[in-house]
Amino acid sequence: MKVLSMTIKRLLPRSLFGRSLIILVTPLILVQIVLGYIFFDRHTETVLRVLSATIAGDIELMVDLTSREKNFKRVQDLAARNLKLELTLSKKQKLKESGLRKKTWLYEVMGEALNNTLTQPYYLNMDSDNIYLDVEIPNKGVLHISTLRKRLFSRTTPLVLIWTTASALLLFIVASLFMRNQIRPLRRLSEAADRFGKGHDIGLFKPEGATEVRKAGFAFNIMRDRLRRQLHERTEMLAGVSHDLRTPLTRMKLQLAMMKSDDKIESLQEDVDSMQKLVEGFLTYARGAAHEVSELTNLKKLLSKAVEQLDNPSIVMELECDDSIEIILKVDLFKRCLSNILLNAQKYAHNIWISVDSIEDIVKIIIDDDGPGIPNSEHEKVFQPFYRLEASRNSETGGVGLGLTIARDVMRSHGGQVRLRKSPQGGLRVILRLPL
């Protein structure tokens, strides 16, 4: 049962439009099945048997009159005027064959009625317009009877099914068009939410569609404005705090420079330098995050410039990227993300490999190095602000513990992700995933 349920789920469409069409189609199919069974099978068969019995009774009456009446012309007139039957008599002849010409449904229903009524041998034949019946009458010959086929079966019966099917199909097409129009606002809303999540400027989103869809659109606009306001206020507040810290830090550096040099003074100077680097780094990031606009960028050119800017004779850097990959990015902000990652790799490695892979709607940038790497247990911790690995990356390197934090923040602002893994080269692998 579980396997059947899973199979049905796999066969069902995943989109709302596809499932809506199934909801529309299923009742139509059921109606057609019920209509076909009740009308065509039950009603039509009942009517057909009644008409067959009526025609067979008329024929039996004419056979009886012909066998008893000497004036055959009078019988012909009565049959043509009252029963719509055409009669001819082949005297002193016998039937060459008897029974039904075909073994089809209509022949068998008519044959059953004739068997219940006639005692004489007969031969039944039909074409598209008429019914032909030859009856052998003892001592008279063969009576040839013809009548219109529409007395037995009307062509409107299959036409009813054809017209009901055609009208159901037409209604289905109209309903599908209306359903597509109702789903279009939902698709626009999902696209707007996706673009907003990737950090793109979507402008003013206009809610439309049904009442519930409009409410979802208005809720999205309110949520977007709240998020923008919250991010702006947070960035401005932290940027202001960082800016205000520059003055006392500068004053402290001047005072330390005027003091006599000893171990304590040098230690304080290192702390002040670290704080100043932290403040300057965050200010640079805050300015870029607040004001930069996304633009379509060739990824290989961007990576090449990042590699050139960080060129170090002691480091071998290799880049492998397709020339045709283009992606919408905040260029300066993304450059800062790359520079933070590459600077970390340069400090601890001798070789760096950069490769780019595009799969469907995802671009994956892989940065490998042959440095000491990071333990698996520390992969998530290093993204925390001010977190540092003292065992392999000590304070002498000059880091302040914000490089990977800013890199992850930049990636998330683009709707992407950054992951750390062990590199096949022996060091650290950094994987950047960006949506196209």
Side-chain angles (χ1 to χ4, degrees), residues 201-234:
D201 184 12
I202 62 173
L204 179 64
F205 177 77
K206 182 181 178 182
E208 58 182 17
T211 303
E212 292 79 3
V213 180
R214 287 176 178 268
K215 287 182 178 180
F218 286 123
F220 169 76
N221 283 335
I222 294 172
M223 178 197 69
R224 179 196 59 185
D225 294 339
R226 286 175 178 171
L227 287 174
R228 282 179 173 175
R229 184 167 58 252
Q230 181 181 3
L231 292 172
H232 179 74
E233 290 175 354
R234 188 195 68 172

Side-chain angles (χ1 to χ4, degrees), residues 60-157:
E60 170 62 19
L61 176 61
M62 292 300 101
V63 169
D64 185 61
L65 287 177
T66 303
S67 62
R68 291 184 299 169
E69 185 69 39
K70 295 182 180 181
N71 188 357
F72 180 70
K73 177 64 175 173
R74 182 170 177 274
V75 176
Q76 280 183 313
D77 293 339
L78 288 172
R81 184 172 62 253
N82 298 310
L83 302 178
K84 308 299 181 185
L85 298 176
E86 294 183 5
L87 305 181
T88 56
L89 182 62
S90 299
K91 297 180 179 180
K92 298 181 181 180
Q93 289 189 3
K94 292 187 177 182
L95 286 177
K96 296 180 180 179
E97 54 182 332
S98 62
L100 307 176
R101 183 174 177 271
K102 295 180 181 179
K103 294 291 184 179
T104 60
W105 171 65
L106 197 59
Y107 273 87
E108 290 180 353
V109 173
M110 187 64 196
E112 182 181 353
L114 293 172
N115 290 334
N116 293 333
T117 306
L118 293 178
T119 57
Q120 296 85 356
Y122 67 87
Y123 178 71
L124 178 65
N125 186 20
M126 299 184 194
D127 59 21
S128 58
D129 297 317
N130 298 301
I131 299 173
Y132 304 100
L133 183 69
D134 298 336
V135 182
E136 184 177 329
I137 303 175
N139 302 321
K140 287 284 187 178
V142 176
L143 178 64
H144 305 285
I145 305 170
S146 67
T147 187
L148 294 176
R149 180 170 172 169
K150 65 181 181 181
R151 289 187 59 188
L152 177 63
F153 182 76
S154 175
R155 294 176 182 174
T156 58
T157 301

Side-chain angles (χ1 to χ4, degrees), residues 88-358:
T88 56
L89 182 62
S90 299
K91 297 180 179 180
K92 298 181 181 180
Q93 289 189 3
K94 292 187 177 182
L95 286 177
K96 296 180 180 179
E97 54 182 332
S98 62
L100 307 176
R101 183 174 177 271
K102 295 180 181 179
K103 294 291 184 179
T104 60
W105 171 65
L106 197 59
Y107 273 87
E108 290 180 353
V109 173
M110 187 64 196
E112 182 181 353
L114 293 172
N115 290 334
N116 293 333
T117 306
L118 293 178
T119 57
Q120 296 85 356
Y122 67 87
Y123 178 71
L124 178 65
N125 186 20
M126 299 184 194
D127 59 21
S128 58
D129 297 317
N130 298 301
I131 299 173
Y132 304 100
L133 183 69
D134 298 336
V135 182
E136 184 177 329
I137 303 175
N139 302 321
K140 287 284 187 178
V142 176
L143 178 64
H144 305 285
I145 305 170
S146 67
T147 187
L148 294 176
R149 180 170 172 169
K150 65 181 181 181
R151 289 187 59 188
L152 177 63
F153 182 76
S154 175
R155 294 176 182 174
T156 58
T157 301
L159 287 177
V160 170
L161 295 178
I162 294 173
W163 276 108
T164 53
T165 303
S167 60
L169 181 61
L170 179 62
L171 291 175
F172 169 72
I173 294 173
V174 173
S176 300
L177 294 176
F178 278 105
M179 183 61 67
R180 184 182 293 275
N181 289 334
Q182 292 302 313
I183 292 175
R184 187 179 294 114
L186 281 175
R187 188 180 294 113
R188 289 184 62 249
L189 179 59
S190 65
E191 291 172 355
D194 182 60
R195 286 178 56 81
F196 179 68
K198 294 176 182 177
H200 300 164
D201 184 12
I202 62 173
L204 179 64
F205 177 77
K206 182 181 178 182
E208 58 182 17
T211 303
E212 292 79 3
V213 180
R214 287 176 178 268
K215 287 182 178 180
F218 286 123
F220 169 76
N221 283 335
I222 294 172
M223 178 197 69
R224 179 196 59 185
D225 294 339
R226 286 175 178 171
L227 287 174
R228 282 179 173 175
R229 184 167 58 252
Q230 181 181 3
L231 292 172
H232 179 74
E233 290 175 354
R234 188 195 68 172
T235 304
E236 289 295 324
M237 181 189 69
L238 294 177
V241 171
S242 300
H243 183 272
D244 292 341
L245 286 174
R246 297 172 71 183
T247 300
L249 285 173
T250 303
R251 190 182 300 118
M252 292 170 64
K253 287 186 66 176
L254 289 174
Q255 290 177 353
L256 289 172
M258 295 173 65
M259 294 180 181
K260 292 182 179 181
S261 179
D262 57 27
D263 292 342
K264 292 183 178 180
I265 296 298
E266 290 178 0
S267 178
L268 286 173
Q269 286 177 338
E270 290 179 0
D271 291 339
V272 171
D273 289 340
S274 296
M275 291 181 65
Q276 191 166 17
K277 287 180 181 179
L278 186 153
V279 170
E280 293 295 337
F282 187 82
L283 277 174
T284 303
Y285 166 72
R287 294 191 189 102
H291 304 293
E292 190 172 2
V293 178
S294 301
E295 59 183 86
L296 187 63
T297 307
N298 184 280
L299 190 56
K300 184 174 183 179
K301 291 181 180 179
L302 177 62
L303 293 173
S304 299
K305 289 181 180 179
V307 170
E308 291 173 2
Q309 291 174 356
L310 299 175
D311 188 23
N312 188 334
S314 63
I315 303 296
V316 178
M317 301 182 68
E318 296 182 7
L319 172 62
E320 183 181 346
C321 180
D322 192 345
D323 295 334
S324 63
I325 299 178
E326 293 187 339
I327 190 170
I328 298 177
L329 295 171
K330 293 181 178 179
V331 177
D332 292 337
L333 201 60
F334 190 71
K335 280 183 181 178
R336 181 165 182 79
C337 170
L338 287 174
S339 65
N340 286 351
I341 295 172
L342 293 176
L343 282 172
N344 280 344
Q346 282 186 344
K347 291 174 185 175
Y348 313 105
H350 300 288
N351 296 277
I352 300 174
W353 296 268
I354 305 174
S355 61
V356 180
D357 189 16
S358 177

